[in-house]
Amino acid sequence: MQENRTRYPGYDLLKEKDHWDDHTRAIVLKRLGPFEKHKFLNQHEADLIAAIAKHILYDERKELLDYVLHHIDNKLSSPIGEDQRKVGTPDQKVLIREGLKALDKLAQKQYGAPFLEVDPQPQLLLLSALAAGKAAPMTEWQTIPQKELFKKLATQITSAYYSHPTVWSEIGYGGPAYPRGYVRVEKGLTDPWEAKRNAQES
Amino acid sequence: MPKNHDYVQHDCDHYDGHRNNHLGKRKYSDGADICIVGAGAAGGVLAYELSKAGFKVVVIDAGPFWNPQTDFASDELSMQSLAWNDTRLVAGSDPLSMGHNNSGRGVGGGTVHFTGVFYRFHESDFMVKTVDGVADDWPIRYEDLEPYYAKIEKDIAVSGPKHFPWGPFQGPYPYPEREPISANALIFREGCAKLGLKSTVAPLAILSAPFDGRPPCINRGFCNQGCLPNAKFSTLIHHIPKAIKHGAEVLSDCMVTHVDVDKTGLVTGVTFVHDDKEYFQKAKITIISAFCIETPRLLLHSACPQFPDGLANSSGMVGKELMTHSAHDIFAKFHDEVRIYKGTPVLAVSQDFYETDQSRGFVRGYTFNAHGSRPLGLAKNLVAKAGIWGQKLYDIMRDYNFFAQITMVGEVLPNVNNSVTLSDEKDEYGMPRPLVTFGYSVNDNKLIAHAVAKANDILEAAGGKPAFVIPDTGHLMGTCRMGNDPSTSVVDGFCRSHDIPNLYICSAAAFVTSGGGNPTETVMAIAARTADHIIEEASKGE
Ligand SMILES: Cc1cc2nc3c(=O)[nH]c(=O)nc-3n(C[C@H](O)[C@H](O)[C@H](O)COP(=O)(O)OP(=O)(O)OC[C@H]3O[C@@H](n4cnc5c(N)ncnc54)[C@H](O)[C@@H]3O)c2cc1C
Ligand code: SF4
C-alpha cells in the first residue's frame, strides 16, 4: 500500500508553519500528537477502527491512524450533535459501539474468527458488503443499518486523515494560507512556497 | 445546549460596546419594539434597517458572537463548528446532509461560511406557474424586489462584471469584477467559449477593492471556513455591528425555545435558554428569521390552546414544501495542475441554462459555478455521497491537484411531501428534534442529468477527461411560504403571518420556489423590503 504515495516528494507543508496565524497553527500541530488516552473507545474498538481505516484509506501508517482514532474518540465523547441522522439509525455512539460488535460477529459467522483475526482480503470483502448493505443476514442489522454504520465510520476516518498535514503535503495541497494568501492564482502559476512536482514526472 | 458546546463563549449580551453576561440586566428586559430570532442573512438586514429607523431591537441567536481573528482558522475540520451541528433526523428518497452543508449557527448565520456567490433571481422565478404551469407564483414580482437588490448590492459593495448577460439586471455591479481568476475558473470559461456558451466572472459578496474599512480578498480560498481578513461580507461583520451602533442589542448563545402568545392570539415575545437558564424577551413585534428547519420547528413546537397546530399554521403549510438546490459536483482530470484549493472558490459562472427550454424535456433550469474544493470536503463527499473509498479514493486524492470542478445549482420544484415535522425524539432543551424529509421529483432528476452532461461537455471542451460526479445538494428554501391566499400559504408578500398580525417570518423559509441560482441576495432583498414595510406600518400608527 505504500508505493508512490505522492507526486510531490520534496514538499513538506509544515516548513511553512511560521507563515500561518497562531490559531490555525495550534490546531494543525496538535494533529501530530502525542494524544491523550481514549475517552470513549476501548482498546478492542480502537484496534477494529484502525483495521477498518487501513482499508478505507489505503494506508497503514501508524502515526496517521493514531490521529484518526483520536479524532473519532473525540467525536464520540463530545455532546455536539452529528448534523443529521437517518431515521431508524441509533445515535452515533450506539451505532459505532454496537456496529463494531456486529462486525466481529459477522466475521465469526463467515470466516470463523473475529474481524482482526481474518486476513485483509476477506476483511475487505466484509467491508464492501457492509457498504452495499448486503452483509449476511443477522438480527443486529435491524437496529444497526449496515450502510449507515459504514458511512459513519468511513466519513469520520476520511475527515481526520485528510486533515493531517502529512497527507496535505503528499497531495500537494497548499494548506493554511492566512495571513499570506495567494499572489499567483492564474493557470500555470504557483507561489514559490507551493508544492512542486517531481521533475522526473511528465 | 451542553456547556462545552460552544468552545467560544463571547458572553451573551452586546450593545453600545458593552458586554454583559448578566441576562437579567438586558438593555430591553422591560420589552423591545422588535425581537428578531436568528442573526443570519435576513435577521442581520432586519436588525440593521429597523434599529436605524429608531426601533428598540433585540436580536437573539442560538450560537456564538464570533470574532473572526481569534475564532476562525484556515482549516476545514475545526471550522465545521460554524455549522448548526445539532442532530436533525433525515428521511425520504434523497435524505439531505445538514450541518456545514446548508446550516449556519451563530451571529451571521449562514453568511459566515457561505461562498459569497451573489445573484438576483430572474423575472420568471416569481411566476413559475404562469410561465411554466408548475408550482406556484410568488405574491411579489421581480419589480418589487428590484430596488432592494440594488440597495443590498450597494450596501455591501458586491463585485462583479460590467456586463452580466442573463436576467433583467445586466450590470454593472458596484465594485469591479475580481481579477485575476483561478485556473479552475479559467478552464471553465475556456470550455464555455469553445462550446459557444456565455460565461462571466462571478458576482460576489467579496471585495475587489477596499470598502468600509475592510480589505480586498487575498485569495486564500477558505470562504466556507469563515473569512479571516473580513474581505467576504457576512452579517456578522457588516449589518450586526452597525445595528449595535444604532442601539440594537444582540443576545448570542441564546436558544429560543418557544414563541409566546396571549389570550387575544397576539405574540408577546419569546422564551430562550442561556446556560441552562430560561428567560423571556417581551416585544411588540416578533420576527422569526431562523432559516428553514428551525423556523418551522419553533412554530410547530409553540402550539398552544389558541393555535393547536402550531403558530401561523392555519393553512397547514408550516414545514411544508422544503426545497434545496441540486448541487452535483462534476470533476474532470487535466494533464496539468489545476489546484482547486487556490483562490476564491467560485470565480466564474454561467446562467445559459437558467430559463425553461421545452426541448430539454423538463421545466426550469440551473446555474453553473466553477467551484473549488479543499481536501476534507472533497474526500468526505467522495465517501459519503459518491460511495468511493479504498484504493479508488486514494488514487483520486493523490491526483487532487489535477482535477477541475463545476458545481450546478439546479432548481428543485416545491413538493408538499418534502417537509419539516416534529419527531418523537427530544433534544437537550426538551424540544422535539426536527424530521427533515426530502426526495427529488422526476423533473428535478431530468434537470440534474442534463446539467451533469453539459458540465462534462464544458470540461471536455477545455481539455479535461470526465472523471467522477458527486451527487450533492446546497442551500435550503421554503417551509413557511409566502402567498396571497391564507389557506395555502403562511405569510403574505411582506413576510407577515396571515394568522397573527404581530408575527413575521422572514428568511429563506418564505421562498415559494427555489430559483435556479444561489439564493442569499434574494433572502436579503426580501428582508430589506419587510423592514421597509414594518417602518411604514408603524408610521401609520399601526
Ligand atoms: C457552505 C455554504 C455555502 C453557501 N454559499 C452560498 C453562496 O455562495 N451564495 C448564496 O447566495 N448562498 C449561499 N449559501 C446559503 C446561505 O448561507 C443562506 O441562503 C442564508 O444564510 C440564509 O439566510 P437566512 O437568514 O434565511 O438564515 P441563516 O443565515 O441560516 O440564519 C439563521 C440564524 O438563525 C439562528 N437560529 C436558528 N434557530 C434559532 C433559535 N431557535 N434560537 C435562536 N437562533 C436561532 C441560527 O443560529 C442562524 O444564525 C451557502 C450556505 C452554505 C452552508
Ligand atoms: S478567498 Fe477571499 S473572501 Fe474567501 S475567505 Fe479567503 S480572503 Fe476571504
Side-chain angles (χ1 to χ4, degrees):
Chain A
M1 288 192 189
Q2 308 304 331
E3 78 286 359
N4 271 337
R5 278 246 77 104
T6 176
R7 301 178 77 159
Y8 304 94
Y11 179 58
D12 177 7
L13 165 129
L14 286 175
K15 287 194 187 135
E16 303 303 320
K17 67 178 189 299
D18 293 342
H19 295 278
W20 307 344
D21 63 281
D22 296 344
H23 185 219
T24 302
R25 184 167 49 241
I27 289 171
V28 174
L29 292 184
K30 266 199 201 139
R31 295 180 186 153
L32 301 174
F35 306 112
E36 57 193 24
K37 244 181 104 220
H38 291 158
K39 297 183 288 271
F40 179 88
L41 298 171
N42 63 37
Q43 192 55 48
H44 182 62
E45 289 167 336
D47 292 344
L48 271 172
I49 294 176
I52 295 166
K54 287 177 192 170
H55 292 286
I56 306 271
L57 302 169
Y58 198 64
D59 193 347
E60 302 192 322
R61 284 172 290 177
K62 186 172 179 312
E63 67 276 22
L64 300 180
L65 295 177
D66 280 349
Y67 170 59
V68 168
L69 290 173
H70 169 72
H71 170 74
I72 295 180
D73 185 64
N74 264 345
K75 276 265 170 196
L76 293 176
S77 49
S78 147
I80 295 175
E82 47 185 315
D83 297 345
Q84 73 280 323
R85 180 181 352 117
K86 220 166 152 175
V87 161
T89 304
D91 182 282
Q92 58 182 351
K93 297 180 178 53
V94 177
L95 179 69
I96 290 186
R97 179 148 281 162
E98 298 306 317
L100 291 174
K101 282 185 200 151
L103 182 62
D104 259 341
K105 197 172 152 192
L106 180 70
Q108 191 77 46
K109 187 172 159 139
Q110 290 200 237
Y111 299 103
F115 190 81
L116 290 173
E117 288 167 32
V118 178
D119 285 343
Q121 199 50 34
Q123 277 186 351
L124 187 58
L125 288 175
L126 288 173
L127 292 176
S128 305
L130 275 191
K134 293 194 175 132
M138 293 191 332
T139 51
E140 279 77 358
W141 304 140
Q142 285 164 18
T143 46
I144 305 294
Q146 302 171 36
K147 280 187 181 174
E148 295 306 311
L149 169 63
F150 180 84
K151 203 160 124 180
K152 178 62 76 181
L153 283 166
T155 15
Q156 292 300 342
I157 288 167
T158 312
S159 298
Y161 181 81
Y162 285 101
S163 298
H164 196 285
T166 301
V167 179
W168 288 347
S169 297
E170 288 172 353
I171 65 175
Y173 168 53
Y178 182 75
R180 151 168 80 177
Y182 291 99
V183 181
R184 297 164 192 81
V185 292
E186 297 99 314
K187 201 172 159 192
L189 300 187
T190 45
D191 281 339
W193 55 271
E194 290 186 79
K196 302 294 179 318
R197 263 153 98 181
N198 188 347
Q200 272 82 63
E201 230 194 290
S202 68
Chain B
M1 198 86 12
K3 283 229 172 46
N4 51 352
H5 188 107
D6 298 315
Y7 73 96
V8 184
Q9 281 275 1
H10 290 301
D11 308 334
C12 52
D13 201 359
H14 306 252
Y15 62 90
D16 307 336
H18 291 259
R19 286 197 164 179
N20 190 338
N21 220 352
H22 293 287
L23 280 166
K25 295 189 198 143
R26 272 138 49 214
K27 184 171 179 184
Y28 299 121
S29 40
D30 295 341
D33 295 325
I34 296 178
C35 172
I36 301 168
V37 179
V45 170
L46 286 160
Y48 168 60
E49 297 296 341
L50 292 170
S51 59
K52 195 173 64 171
F55 291 95
K56 295 178 186 162
V57 175
V58 176
V59 197
I60 310 184
D61 201 284
F65 201 122
W66 307 107
N67 174 350
Q69 282 303 307
T70 52
D71 299 337
F72 297 174
S74 297
D75 181 62
E76 292 178 271
L77 189 63
S78 53
M79 288 298 103
Q80 290 178 347
S81 58
L82 298 177
W84 191 282
N85 299 127
D86 291 7
T87 305
R88 275 97 174 237
L89 298 178
V90 295
S93 54
D94 302 285
L96 294 173
S97 303
M98 306 303 295
H100 196 269
N101 188 45
N102 50 33
S103 308
R105 181 173 165 279
V107 177
T111 64
V112 169
H113 77 280
F114 88 144
T115 316
V117 183
F118 222 61
Y119 296 120
R120 298 183 183 197
F121 274 7
H122 295 196
E123 285 147 327
S124 68
D125 287 319
F126 299 93
M127 40 201 293
V128 176
K129 177 112 188 195
T130 302
V131 176
D132 292 306
V134 296
D136 208 351
D137 288 356
W138 294 47
I140 55 175
R141 289 289 175 271
Y142 177 82
E143 298 75 61
D144 295 313
L145 288 188
E146 201 280 332
Y148 297 98
Y149 280 138
K151 174 193 155 52
I152 295 285
E153 282 160 9
K154 190 165 158 267
D155 276 1
I156 63 171
V158 172
S159 67
K162 276 210 190 72
H163 177 66
F164 190 72
W166 309 279
F169 175 68
Q170 305 260 308
Y173 284 88
Y175 263 42
E177 68 184 20
R178 291 282 308 284
E179 67 92 20
I181 62 171
S182 62
N184 189 56
L186 189 72
I187 286 169
F188 173 79
R189 298 204 66 183
E190 287 171 355
C192 285
K194 287 234 169 81
L195 297 180
L197 300 171
K198 295 185 292 294
S199 73
T200 64
V201 172
L204 292 166
I206 294 176
L207 297 178
S208 56
F211 169 76
D212 200 21
R214 297 193 277 120
C217 169
I218 57 167
N219 270 316
R220 60 190 261 280
F222 283 90
C223 297
N224 295 146
Q225 284 68 41
C227 182
L228 267 156
N230 289 339
K232 185 186 78 174
F233 146 84
S234 68
T235 53
L236 168 73
I237 60 162
H238 187 88
H239 293 90
I240 291 291
K242 291 187 198 303
I244 291 173
K245 278 208 189 103
H246 287 295
E249 179 183 42
V250 177
L251 308 176
S252 52
D253 294 313
C254 293
M255 173 75 177
V256 174
T257 52
H258 204 267
V259 180
D260 297 79
V261 177
D262 67 13
K263 287 204 191 75
T264 66
L266 284 177
V267 169
T268 52
V270 302
T271 302
F272 64 91
V273 176
H274 175 77
D275 270 353
D276 302 327
K277 242 185 108 184
E278 215 172 77
Y279 302 84
F280 179 70
Q281 176 64 51
K282 191 172 154 197
K284 291 180 193 145
I285 293 176
T286 295
I287 310 177
I288 312 295
S289 298
F291 201 39
C292 306
I293 311 294
E294 297 310 312
T295 297
R297 176 160 85 124
L298 188 57
L299 293 171
L300 294 173
H301 180 59
S302 298
C304 56
Q306 299 94 305
F307 300 104
D309 299 323
L311 302 191
N313 196 24
S314 63
S315 63
M317 288 302 288
V318 169
K320 297 287 160 56
E321 298 190 346
L322 172 70
M323 294 166 284
T324 182
H325 285 124
S326 46
H328 288 44
D329 305 307
I330 298 97
F331 291 81
K333 196 165 169 185
F334 284 76
H335 179 268
D336 294 318
E337 287 147 319
V338 182
R339 299 183 189 253
I340 46 177
Y341 60 86
K342 288 177 73 170
T344 300
V346 177
L347 280 166
V349 303
S350 176
Q351 292 196 325
D352 263 10
F353 302 99
Y354 197 92
E355 301 287 345
T356 296
D357 170 353
Q358 292 296 348
S359 72
R360 300 191 299 220
F362 59 87
V363 295
R364 309 309 301 154
Y366 56 86
T367 296
F368 276 142
N369 294 333
H371 210 300
S373 271
R374 338 214 110 245
L376 184 160
L378 175 57
K380 187 177 162 190
N381 279 350
L382 280 165
V383 168
K385 292 169 183 166
I388 292 173
W389 55 281
Q391 185 170 3
K392 203 163 165 211
L393 171 68
Y394 160 75
D395 285 342
I396 290 173
M397 293 307 293
R398 179 172 175 274
D399 291 340
Y400 168 66
N401 278 346
F402 294 79
F403 292 99
Q405 175 186 348
I406 299 175
T407 298
M408 65 176 288
V409 183
E411 175 147 1
V412 165
L413 295 177
N415 175 341
V416 277
N417 298 320
N418 292 335
S419 62
V420 177
T421 51
L422 301 182
S423 74
D424 302 334
E425 215 182 284
K426 297 263 160 57
D427 69 5
E428 61 267 40
Y429 304 101
M431 281 177 85
R433 287 195 195 284
L435 170 62
V436 182
T437 307
F438 181 78
Y440 285 123
S441 69
V442 175
N443 193 78
D444 300 337
N445 279 320
K446 282 189 187 161
L447 183 154
I448 292 168
H450 189 272
V452 168
K454 280 290 167 210
N456 272 322
D457 289 349
I458 293 169
L459 292 168
E460 221 169 352
K465 207 168 151 261
F468 55 91
V469 176
I470 298 178
D472 205 353
T473 62
H475 320 134
L476 295 174
M477 290 123 319
T479 67
C480 289
R481 58 155 292 188
M482 48 166 76
N484 290 323
D485 181 355
S487 71
T488 56
S489 60
V490 180
V491 296
D492 67 14
F494 292 107
C495 295
R496 185 183 210 160
S497 75
H498 292 305
D499 298 349
I500 306 177
N502 71 342
L503 176 66
Y504 287 74
I505 301 161
C506 181
S507 72
F511 280 36
V512 178
T513 56
S514 74
N518 307 51
T520 306
E521 185 175 356
T522 301
V523 174
M524 293 171 66
I526 288 173
R529 186 166 178 269
T530 292
D532 261 8
H533 163 79
I534 291 174
I535 294 165
E536 206 174 296
E537 290 290 291
S539 73
K540 285 192 229 152
E542 268 221 15

